[in-house]
Amino acid sequence: MSKKNKKKNLNKTLVEKMLDQQKIPYKQLQFATIQKGDVKQMDTSILDDEEALVYKTLVCEGNKNSPIVGVVPVTEHLCMKKLAKASGNKKCELLPLKKLVATTGYVHGANTPIGIYQKHHFPIYLDSSMKDHNQIAVSSGEIGRSIMINPDDLQKVTEATFVDLLE
């Protein structure tokens, strides 16, 4: 491997390296981060009308099956009842922030459905609105870092289920 290729690989997240190994196409994205309360988040406001193409990864606990992961647009809210029903639970709630890193290996703002599935095989549920787009953005495992990926490729790599998850 040439020095140029080695240097290029150093800038990739673990998720991006996994996608490279599986020959799944994606595009790297970088967002500025902003501090909101106790956590850092990426600032997607620069996207204007395309902000709905950015999806957030929410880790939840169910009363029967746990943990479960819902992926919805950053502009929308996850319907806990719909996620519970899809995952075989009667109810579910967001995983407490203090349990997040121990459960997923990622800090708030860096959770990625790809990394979570590859590490833990937690069930992943993708909002069906994703299928309306050729490319969507999800976190690539670091705050402020995302990838643009085809929703069908995301579904394949995470063995996810498409379901209506929006309130």
Side-chain angles (χ1 to χ4, degrees):
M1 186 182 279
S2 71
K3 285 184 181 181
K4 186 178 179 182
N5 286 342
K6 281 183 183 177
K7 193 169 191 173
K8 191 176 178 183
N9 257 352
L10 291 177
N11 294 330
K12 293 190 176 193
T13 65
L14 185 58
V15 165
E16 293 164 348
K17 291 175 186 176
M18 283 189 270
L19 292 172
D20 287 345
Q21 287 175 343
Q22 296 180 38
K23 299 190 182 343
I24 295 173
Y26 66 91
K27 179 183 170 192
Q28 293 175 317
L29 298 174
Q30 184 118 11
F31 294 94
T33 57
I34 52 175
Q35 189 78 28
K36 284 200 174 179
D38 294 342
V39 295
K40 274 190 176 181
Q41 300 180 188
M42 61 183 198
D43 181 7
T44 58
S45 64
I46 61 166
L47 296 174
D48 295 326
D49 295 337
E50 295 185 349
E51 190 174 17
L53 295 178
V54 178
Y55 282 70
K56 58 188 172 186
T57 304
L58 301 169
V59 183
C60 301
E61 292 180 309
N63 66 314
K64 292 181 183 177
N65 306 315
S66 218
I68 49 179
V69 179
V71 184
V72 298
V74 297
T75 57
E76 302 291 338
H77 294 283
L78 172 65
C79 178
M80 293 297 180
K81 287 182 180 181
K82 289 178 180 178
L83 181 61
K85 183 177 179 182
S87 63
N89 288 287
K90 282 194 173 191
K91 63 179 183 174
C92 66
E93 57 188 30
L94 282 175
L95 186 75
L97 203 52
K98 64 184 177 191
K99 293 169 113 181
L100 193 60
V101 174
T103 303
T104 67
Y106 295 98
V107 297
H108 176 80
N111 277 282
T112 166
I114 298 166
I116 291 171
Y117 183 76
Q118 295 297 320
K119 282 184 177 180
H120 306 289
H121 293 290
F122 296 156
I124 310 287
Y125 297 89
L126 306 174
D127 183 63
S128 54
S129 66
M130 255 185 217
K131 295 194 293 185
D132 296 338
H133 308 288
N134 290 328
Q135 298 282 305
I136 54 94
V138 293
S139 174
S140 64
E142 293 178 8
I143 297 173
R145 293 283 303 269
S146 293
I147 55 164
M148 289 293 287
I149 187 170
N150 180 283
D152 291 328
D153 289 338
L154 178 62
Q155 185 274 329
K156 287 175 193 162
V157 77
T158 59
E159 296 184 24
T161 303
F162 284 111
V163 64
D164 175 21
L165 294 174
L166 302 182
E167 281 192 352

